[in-house]
Amino acid sequence: MYSQFLNNDAPAKIRSLLSKEVCDILLKIGNFADKKSLHVFAVGGFVRDLILNKPNFDIDIVVEGDAKSFVTELASEFNAEFKIFDRFHTAKIYSENINFDFSSSRKEMYEYPGALPDVSFSNIYDDMFRRDFTINAMALSLNSDNLFKIIDYFGGIKDLEARIIRVIHKKSFEDDPTRLYRALRFAHRFGFEFDEETNYLFKQAIKDKRVSSLSVKRVASEISKIFKENLPGTIIEQLTKNRMLKHFAQNVKIPPIEPIGVENILSADLEAVYWICFLSQMPPTFKSETIDQLGLPHSSRVKILDGLDAFKKIPNALEELTCQDHIKLYYLLKKHCIEGLLALCYFKLNKINSEKIVYYLKNLRLIAPLISGKDLIDNDIPAGQHIKNILNYITELRLENKSLSKLEELEIAKQLYSNIQHKNSFQRHL
Ligand code: ATP
């Protein structure tokens, strides 16, 4: 089926699979490279997914030459936004929904197993050779003389057809043990098997404890990618089985998520939800500082720490409450981010307690006064802690199902403020 991508009419087939937007941009990149007499290719996951006819909006472009100056000139010709990453000799062009990442074709040499590679500029063959698996090591030529021709040095198309994950050379896992995690992830995503030799090399690398050379950050980055997959628990189980969760607990379980009916009203960071479940299972010896070393974005880290806190505090407190205890439920759960609450429902609580959280998320979470602090200040109530107290009081009235207009809220607020003033002057006179 996929072998048609190696025929003479493959370019026409490729063109038919590209969206007009992507096709136009790739043509511009190719034409610009023609003018500069440089070879340029789309590579990696984008080519793999194009053949599989799966959408992919992260497009990696390799230039046989200096990618940084290529992008600078290309972006100025087309008036596009771009950014250069000097350290990695890479560059990014921003288009509306698509990411274009540019790099120079390069060769990698590993001084010792697990070391970061020495990198030197080279040709497209070497750039494909340094990649992880045959299915990820194909290039799509963008120059006009070979337009949309697939360059497949290592049999990626044959392996896509045979549904196989195959390393490009024998030392692949040794050079970079993160490929062990990637191998499991791609096999899971596509439902592919390892080819016989890859399977042998995988087992050998596990036996030789290649993963022990990886830092916590590199393992965490692979786990984060696993959490983006469908049913990540199956891959985590394989990591456990192969003792690949160094730095973490050896037996972590991520059960499949059963939706609880709030998913379409919340937009949660699912990756953080899985991390909360994962880290809540760490043994007492696990150091909380390790969480700082995971290299996660600050916003995810905040959610994860909050979620872990919710795992400790919420289950017992919830036992005491029913769905009718609106005010207590609100104050208990309002402090926590939705990721922590979802993780509790998916992975920790029994059905009765989980329903209390669902009730809160559906009915109470967004309850708030119609008036704001500014409305109060505009109505001659001076700034201060009492503003917060007044707004809380009105929130509580709403939680008790009182229906109030904005005007009624304002009247109540003024009354409350006058009571507060009286009380203060009364206290001053004591
Ligand atoms: P995804 O669909 O998960 O984004 P991808 O194939 O695009 O998959 P990336 O991690 O974005 O994966 O990497 C882009 C490309 O870079 C890969 O297709 C592969 O060719 C190469 N690559 C990434 N990580 C490695 C690695 N550890 N060793 C070798 N090649 C790699």
Side-chain angles (χ1 to χ4, degrees):
M1 185 167 78
Y2 300 130
S3 52
Q4 60 177 312
F5 288 100
L6 295 173
N7 297 344
N8 286 340
D9 52 0
K13 174 80 189 157
I14 292 281
R15 193 186 271 262
S16 74
L17 290 172
L18 292 168
S19 70
K20 180 166 171 5
E21 188 186 5
V22 171
C23 185
D24 286 350
I25 300 178
L26 293 181
L27 289 174
K28 277 184 187 161
I29 296 172
N31 286 335
F32 190 74
D34 285 346
K35 280 197 236 156
K36 300 276 153 196
S37 306
L38 289 171
H39 289 130
V40 71
F41 308 86
V43 299
F46 172 73
V47 180
R48 175 199 69 217
D49 289 344
L50 189 63
I51 294 169
L52 294 173
N53 200 9
K54 290 183 191 293
N56 185 330
F57 302 105
D58 288 318
I59 307 187
D60 290 333
I61 305 282
V62 164
V63 183
E64 269 186 346
D66 181 4
K68 288 193 296 183
S69 59
F70 181 80
V71 167
T72 311
E73 291 173 37
L74 177 75
S76 87
E77 170 127 347
F78 294 104
N79 212 2
E81 238 185 278
F82 72 103
K83 191 167 176 184
I84 303 283
F85 301 92
D86 268 320
R87 215 176 120 216
F88 302 104
H89 287 276
T90 57
K92 222 176 187 36
I93 287 195
Y94 299 94
S95 167
E96 228 163 87
N97 316 307
I98 314 160
N99 280 326
F100 287 90
D101 286 303
F102 288 75
S103 57
S104 301
S105 52
R106 57 193 198 257
K107 185 177 183 146
E108 286 179 353
M109 304 276 281
Y110 292 82
E111 203 181 320
Y112 55 89
L116 286 175
D118 283 334
V119 177
S120 56
F121 291 140
S122 186
N123 54 26
I124 190 70
Y125 176 87
D126 285 335
D127 198 86
M128 293 296 107
F129 185 75
R130 74 179 176 86
R131 288 173 187 264
D132 47 5
F133 311 113
T134 57
I135 60 166
N136 290 342
M138 291 181 277
L140 182 71
S141 173
L142 303 180
N143 292 93
S144 56
D145 51 353
N146 270 324
L147 186 64
F148 296 152
K149 194 174 155 212
I150 289 184
I151 294 161
D152 179 16
Y153 295 114
F154 310 108
I157 287 182
K158 186 170 67 41
D159 287 341
L160 277 181
E161 181 100 40
R163 306 171 66 78
I164 274 176
I165 303 292
R166 185 198 306 273
V167 285
I168 289 169
H169 57 85
K170 285 193 174 60
K171 280 182 65 210
S172 185
F173 290 133
E174 205 178 296
D175 284 347
D176 178 358
T178 64
R179 293 173 186 161
L180 297 161
Y181 299 78
R182 292 177 63 86
L184 292 174
R185 182 160 64 85
F186 287 116
H188 171 83
R189 183 192 302 174
F190 298 120
F192 287 8
E193 304 267 328
F194 293 175
D195 95 295
E196 207 180 311
E197 189 183 25
T198 301
N199 196 33
Y200 168 79
L201 294 168
F202 182 96
K203 289 198 171 127
Q204 197 58 41
I206 295 295
K207 211 163 110 202
D208 294 345
K209 298 199 166 53
R210 295 288 175 202
V211 291
S212 65
S213 64
L214 295 173
S215 66
V216 62
K217 192 171 168 184
R218 290 188 78 195
V219 175
S221 151
E222 295 307 317
I223 295 174
S224 279
K225 289 180 198 160
I226 288 169
F227 288 155
K228 293 197 179 83
E229 301 291 332
N230 198 15
L231 295 175
T234 318
I235 314 177
I236 297 292
E237 221 172 89
Q238 288 167 319
L239 299 189
T240 295
K241 197 173 109 205
N242 289 297
R243 306 189 71 76
M244 291 163 74
L245 287 177
K246 190 196 159 226
H247 311 289
F248 299 100
Q250 272 311 326
N251 192 10
V252 188
K253 292 215 160 30
I254 309 283
I257 287 180
E258 306 264 356
I260 52 172
V262 293
E263 288 73 8
N264 54 353
I265 56 164
L266 304 172
S267 82
D269 171 356
L270 198 55
E271 204 183 313
V273 173
Y274 282 126
W275 267 116
I276 295 165
C277 174
F278 184 92
L279 292 171
S280 71
Q281 296 172 56
M282 294 301 113
T285 49
F286 181 79
K287 295 196 183 63
S288 58
E289 304 88 77
T290 309
I291 297 174
D292 297 334
Q293 296 161 19
L294 300 181
L296 299 169
H298 178 69
S299 59
S300 306
R301 192 178 149 271
V302 170
K303 289 174 194 160
I304 291 165
L305 289 174
D306 173 76
L308 292 171
D309 187 47
F311 261 56
K312 281 194 206 125
K313 294 185 179 150
I314 304 272
N316 281 342
L318 265 187
E319 290 286 348
E320 322 264 298
L321 302 178
T322 73
C323 287
Q324 304 325 311
D325 297 320
H326 285 188
I327 296 179
K328 286 186 180 158
L329 209 52
Y330 178 86
Y331 282 123
L332 175 68
L333 302 180
K334 183 175 114 89
K335 294 197 276 286
H336 293 288
C337 62
I338 51 173
E339 284 73 11
L341 300 182
L342 286 176
L344 277 167
C345 295
Y346 293 145
F347 307 118
K348 175 91 176 162
L349 298 174
N350 59 25
K351 197 161 172 3
I352 295 174
N353 285 330
S354 163
E355 271 166 9
K356 297 172 193 168
I357 293 189
V358 172
Y359 182 84
Y360 161 82
L361 290 170
K362 279 186 175 166
N363 305 297
L364 308 178
R365 187 176 71 99
L366 297 178
I367 287 185
L370 297 177
I371 50 169
S372 65
K374 184 173 177 302
D375 291 325
L376 298 184
I377 290 167
D378 289 348
N379 279 273
D380 301 327
I381 299 179
Q385 171 65 28
H386 50 265
I387 297 254
K388 192 168 167 229
N389 295 343
I390 293 171
L391 292 175
N392 281 349
Y393 182 84
I394 293 172
T395 306
E396 287 172 23
L397 290 179
R398 290 195 159 274
L399 286 165
E400 284 167 339
N401 299 326
K402 299 258 174 355
S403 86
L404 299 167
S405 69
K406 194 168 174 182
L407 218 59
E408 286 167 326
E409 284 189 2
L410 208 52
E411 283 313 310
I412 295 172
K414 285 180 185 164
Q415 186 59 53
L416 275 174
Y417 182 62
S418 128
N419 292 353
I420 293 168
Q421 272 181 316
H422 260 93
K423 201 168 139 212
N424 284 349
S425 80
F426 176 67
Q427 279 173 346
R428 265 200 303 279
H429 287 100
L430 275 181

